[in-house]
Amino acid sequence: MKTILCAGALGALCMNAVAADGASVSVYGLVDVALVRETGGSGGDVTKLTSGVGAGSRLGFKGREELGNGIAAIFLLESGFQADTGALGQGGLLFGRQAYAGLQGGFGTLTAGRQYTPQYLTVVMADPFASGYAGDTKNLMAPTGNSASRMDNSLKYVSPVVGGVSAELVYGAGEVTGDSAAGRQFGGALDYTSGPLRVRLGYHNRNNDTAAIKNAGSAKNTVLAAVYDFGVVKAHVAYGVDKGLNSSLLRNTANPYGRPGTPVASSDSRDVLLGATIPSGPHTWMVSWIHKDDRGALDQDASQYALGYRYALSRRTELYGAIAHIVNRHGASYTVGSAIEGGSGNGAVDLGIRHAF
């Protein structure tokens, strides 16, 4: 106990010393746990207690140091974990959610590390479920990057907001010896906000080549999204274009419906999202419809219908429930997952709690 108290006191002293030197560091996090019922898979229905359903459970550290002349050094380290087992998320990475450092000032923000792609952030903006719960857009609208919406080895620039307009640019090195194009990624976004209206255009391009595979082409994703807040209801809409190999991967590739052959991911599709958020005091309703129009020879279209509810117990704690169902056509194999899981069938129900600190 004495050791713990001494360590805590030393940590507080160190934090105060850093603060006195013009820098600040804060610790934050989120714990999300839910009871989930997945249905429709060939292996049968499954009921489980799991983590990261509405949003991934996380522990983060972020800091800022004023360098003078309006310029600051910033960093962020964010670790994902499973609250139901205590295991690390993102395949066991220590800071698998985000890890970057950079500079910020009147010129904008320039950061380097593991970061979200601008295209994925565009989809999140349009999603009433904010890329979580059973209604997660990732069930049908593909996340970009090389790690479920994130880019490793990336440089990212975010411009200042001028007249309601801002821009993002990102570049990710493939780091393949002898081939600078293999695995390379780049993308960007334009964002416009005016009163209750927000419109965002996002794009991402990832080269499929590896050290062993050449001339595999690129996965290209473009999405235009808009949100309009009417006060009593917020309207959401998005339209996406996916072109090329790996442009719209399945979340569950283990043949969840037991069909002959290997499930096929679309390499040419169009995505449409229509949704709404309806707030009323501590109550918030979420509803969305997503349709994937597969332009490939198999015409494997799919539509997702989702309904969700959140009840705010406080500013930091909420209870939630969500239900979603996917209608797959012509052998399509899309599944209903959640913020960090791919799901095992075409239906799911969530009942959970999350707390932010």
Side-chain angles (χ1 to χ4, degrees):
M1 179 62 74
K2 289 182 179 179
T3 301
I4 295 174
L5 291 174
C6 288
L10 180 60
L13 289 173
C14 290
M15 290 289 288
N16 288 336
V18 172
D21 196 33
S24 62
V25 177
S26 59
V27 180
Y28 67 93
L30 184 147
V31 183
D32 181 301
V33 185
L35 186 66
V36 176
R37 175 74 170 175
E38 295 176 352
T39 60
S42 62
D45 300 345
V46 58
T47 301
K48 57 186 180 180
L49 183 71
T50 189
S51 174
V53 173
S57 297
R58 68 201 70 175
L59 176 65
F61 307 86
K62 58 183 176 181
R64 178 183 181 90
E65 180 188 13
E66 300 299 333
L67 303 176
N69 299 317
I71 299 176
I74 61 172
F75 81 87
L76 188 144
L77 300 171
E78 191 172 272
S79 178
F81 63 90
Q82 297 297 102
D84 55 326
T85 64
L88 285 173
Q90 290 75 52
L93 298 177
L94 178 59
F95 295 110
R97 291 188 58 83
Q98 297 182 84
Y100 63 76
L103 296 173
Q104 189 173 65
F107 59 86
T109 303
L110 180 64
T111 49
R114 179 176 169 87
Q115 307 172 80
Y116 287 108
T117 70
Q119 183 271 352
Y120 172 70
L121 295 176
T122 303
V123 176
V124 172
M125 184 210 83
D127 185 2
F129 293 84
S131 195
Y133 311 94
D136 187 357
T137 50
K138 295 193 293 293
N139 296 334
L140 290 185
M141 300 180 72
T144 48
N146 57 309
S147 181
S149 71
R150 303 171 180 90
M151 291 176 62
D152 294 334
N153 316 311
S154 67
L155 290 172
K156 187 175 185 179
Y157 170 72
V158 180
S159 76
V161 179
V162 179
V165 178
S166 63
E168 296 179 31
L169 294 171
V170 68
Y171 173 85
E175 299 190 351
V176 174
T177 302
D179 188 349
S180 60
R184 179 180 60 193
Q185 304 178 70
F186 60 89
L190 284 175
D191 196 307
Y192 173 72
T193 302
S194 178
L197 173 67
R198 185 178 179 188
V199 180
R200 187 175 167 98
L201 175 66
Y203 174 78
H204 195 80
N205 182 305
R206 182 179 181 227
N207 190 308
N208 289 308
D209 291 356
T210 65
I213 301 174
K214 305 299 181 183
N215 303 315
S218 296
K220 305 176 182 69
N221 302 87
T222 306
V223 62
L224 177 63
V227 174
Y228 194 93
D229 191 348
F230 291 94
V232 295
V233 61
K234 182 183 290 186
H236 304 251
V237 61
Y239 180 78
V241 177
D242 312 310
K243 297 280 289 185
L245 178 67
N246 295 326
S247 64
S248 187
L249 295 172
L250 299 169
R251 297 194 74 182
N252 184 341
T253 60
N255 199 2
Y257 302 111
R259 297 180 177 128
T262 303
V264 177
S266 174
S267 59
D268 184 2
S269 62
R270 305 295 182 269
D271 304 324
V272 177
L273 177 148
L274 298 175
T277 304
I278 307 168
S280 178
H283 311 278
T284 301
W285 288 93
M286 306 167 289
V287 60
S288 72
W289 170 78
I290 304 173
H291 179 70
K292 176 169 285 294
D293 177 14
D294 180 19
R295 302 295 178 90
L298 297 178
D299 190 28
Q300 293 186 333
D301 295 352
S303 295
Q304 175 175 284
Y305 304 85
L307 176 67
Y309 169 75
R310 307 196 312 264
Y311 179 75
L313 295 172
S314 70
R315 188 169 58 88
R316 298 187 176 193
T317 304
E318 73 170 28
L319 302 176
Y320 62 81
I323 183 171
H325 180 76
I326 290 178
V327 178
N328 287 301
R329 297 181 66 247
H330 302 151
S333 294
Y334 297 97
T335 53
V336 177
S338 59
I340 65 168
E341 294 186 335
S344 62
N346 67 341
V349 178
D350 312 328
L351 294 173
I353 182 172
R354 70 176 181 180
H355 173 76
F357 60 91

